[in-house]
Amino acid sequence: MAYERIKAPQSEVYHYTKKENLGSILSDGKIRRYRDKKCWFCASLEDTLRLMELTVINEGGLYLGVNGLPMRYPKFAPDDFGILKLTPRYQNGESVKWNQEVDSGCTNKQKALAEEFSNLKLGYRGDLKFQQTLKY
């Protein structure tokens, strides 16, 4: 997976997470990269919903887990997720975007989907502290 340095977002970002994580996120005012399993941020609510379609809503879809092993998305339970609208106030480390790498043998459709996936999300290395502005 290729990381690309980007300018830190100056406006609100969106983040989806399991509701079980909301309490600690909201009380700490931080999202930690490895304590929140889906640590991706998007520039809009529409991008967030599309990213969810490509990931957690994609029941049975194949993905690589944190350990690099292939896994499948479980049955999607919408009541288990929430979306936060956040105003970044401090971030430790560089702002980066994670670009999906594709094999040269992939079809044009697969390459286009990988590019869309890459462009939907903004990422952060290190902790992101925020001021909560809205919870869905």
Side-chain angles (χ1 to χ4, degrees), residues 28-72:
D28 293 348
K30 292 183 191 179
I31 294 178
R32 292 174 191 86
R33 186 169 179 210
Y34 291 108
R35 290 190 186 165
D36 189 16
K37 294 180 182 177
K38 299 292 181 198
C39 199
W40 292 330
F41 300 87
C42 296
S44 70
L45 180 58
E46 294 77 19
D47 286 354
T48 306
L49 294 172
R50 178 63 179 144
L51 185 63
M52 290 179 76
E53 287 175 8
L54 294 172
T55 56
V56 295
I57 297 174
N58 186 14
E59 294 176 15
L62 191 62
Y63 71 98
L64 292 178
V66 177
N67 58 5
L69 296 176
M71 300 180 74
R72 296 204 177 268

Side-chain angles (χ1 to χ4, degrees), residues 4-42:
E4 172 187 347
R5 284 193 173 104
I6 60 170
K7 183 178 176 187
Q10 301 299 309
S11 61
E12 298 161 332
V13 294
Y14 295 80
H15 175 66
Y16 75 85
T17 187
K18 286 197 168 188
K19 286 187 178 175
E20 66 192 39
N21 298 330
L22 290 176
S24 64
I25 290 171
L26 296 175
S27 67
D28 293 348
K30 292 183 191 179
I31 294 178
R32 292 174 191 86
R33 186 169 179 210
Y34 291 108
R35 290 190 186 165
D36 189 16
K37 294 180 182 177
K38 299 292 181 198
C39 199
W40 292 330
F41 300 87
C42 296

Side-chain angles (χ1 to χ4, degrees), residues 55-110:
T55 56
V56 295
I57 297 174
N58 186 14
E59 294 176 15
L62 191 62
Y63 71 98
L64 292 178
V66 177
N67 58 5
L69 296 176
M71 300 180 74
R72 296 204 177 268
Y73 286 106
K75 181 172 173 53
F76 179 65
D79 292 339
D80 290 351
F81 288 87
I83 298 175
L84 297 170
K85 183 178 179 181
L86 310 168
T87 303
R89 62 185 170 113
Y90 173 77
Q91 181 207 330
N92 180 18
E94 299 286 334
S95 290
V96 295
K97 179 175 94 170
W98 177 72
N99 293 309
Q100 179 71 44
E101 292 182 323
V102 293
D103 185 87
S104 60
C106 288
T107 65
N108 287 339
K109 183 178 177 180
Q110 290 169 319

